[in-house]
Amino acid sequence: MDKVYLTWWQVDRAIFSLADVLRDYKPDVIIGIARGGLIPAVRLSHILGEVELKVIDVKFYKGIDERAERPTITIPIHGDIEGKKVIIVDDVSDTGKTLQVVIEEVKKRGAKDIKIACLAMKPWTSVVPDFYVFRTDKWIVFPWEEFPVVARE
């Protein structure tokens, strides 16, 4: 599978682009999906100011292109989100199944309004984010993921 490697600068620019749009939405709560959505969620919470940040952990991928049958929540959202405007943040909407599980959970918890923000979206996703920066059919390697180490001889 073809890969695209993103730099910290590219990711930061993408997050600032999302923040510009989210200022108009004015979320009460940002929910970052562990692991890939945590860095964008934390960065957005700093840029947007006094927005409550929560975390949910959902496991789906076992490796590149190797998935479980259905994503499962391994760490639930803590605290109250009832009646609040929520933005769910992830790095990429690939199949959309992880986002579907999180959306269901956030609805069950009584959020007033739910929007999805991702840095990237795959063309085949079942969940098109309300806000995203780019589309690609390639495997995305984010700067917080493992890069091969080149050793000098």
Side-chain angles (χ1 to χ4, degrees):
M1 175 178 276
D2 288 339
K3 295 180 184 177
V4 58
Y5 290 85
L6 298 180
T7 66
W8 283 108
W9 186 86
Q10 290 170 316
V11 168
D12 201 46
R13 295 299 83 203
I15 292 170
F16 266 98
S17 294
L18 287 174
D20 286 343
V21 176
L22 292 176
R23 278 188 182 92
D24 294 335
Y25 176 63
K26 295 181 171 71
D28 300 310
V29 178
I30 295 170
I31 298 176
I33 301 176
R35 294 181 312 188
L38 292 183
I39 290 173
V42 168
R43 189 76 176 110
L44 281 169
S45 74
H46 283 289
I47 296 166
L48 295 175
E50 297 299 319
V51 181
E52 191 176 357
L53 177 65
K54 297 187 179 296
V55 174
I56 187 169
D57 188 31
V58 180
K59 294 293 180 223
F60 190 30
Y61 279 97
K62 296 177 181 179
I64 291 179
D65 226 16
E66 185 185 354
R67 300 178 187 108
E69 198 169 305
R70 176 172 162 75
T72 56
I73 296 172
T74 56
I75 299 174
I77 302 163
H78 292 285
D80 184 30
I81 60 171
E82 188 170 345
K84 296 185 178 178
K85 289 172 68 175
V86 173
I87 187 81
I88 298 169
V89 178
D90 207 356
D91 54 355
V92 60
S93 181
D94 190 333
T95 66
K97 290 183 179 180
T98 296
L99 286 167
Q100 287 171 349
V101 166
V102 175
I103 291 166
E104 288 169 16
E105 182 65 16
V106 171
K107 283 181 180 177
K108 278 195 273 184
R109 303 281 308 274
K112 173 175 74 175
D113 192 54
I114 303 166
K115 299 285 187 202
I116 310 298
C118 295
L119 299 177
M121 181 187 89
K122 301 290 179 91
W124 50 77
T125 187
S126 63
V127 176
V128 175
D130 297 286
F131 314 102
Y132 67 94
V133 180
F134 70 98
R135 273 173 77 122
T136 185
D137 61 355
K138 297 177 180 174
W139 184 265
I140 305 164
V141 181
F142 290 93
W144 53 83
E145 296 175 320
E146 188 174 309
F147 280 85
V149 175
V150 177
R152 196 172 64 172
E153 293 182 30

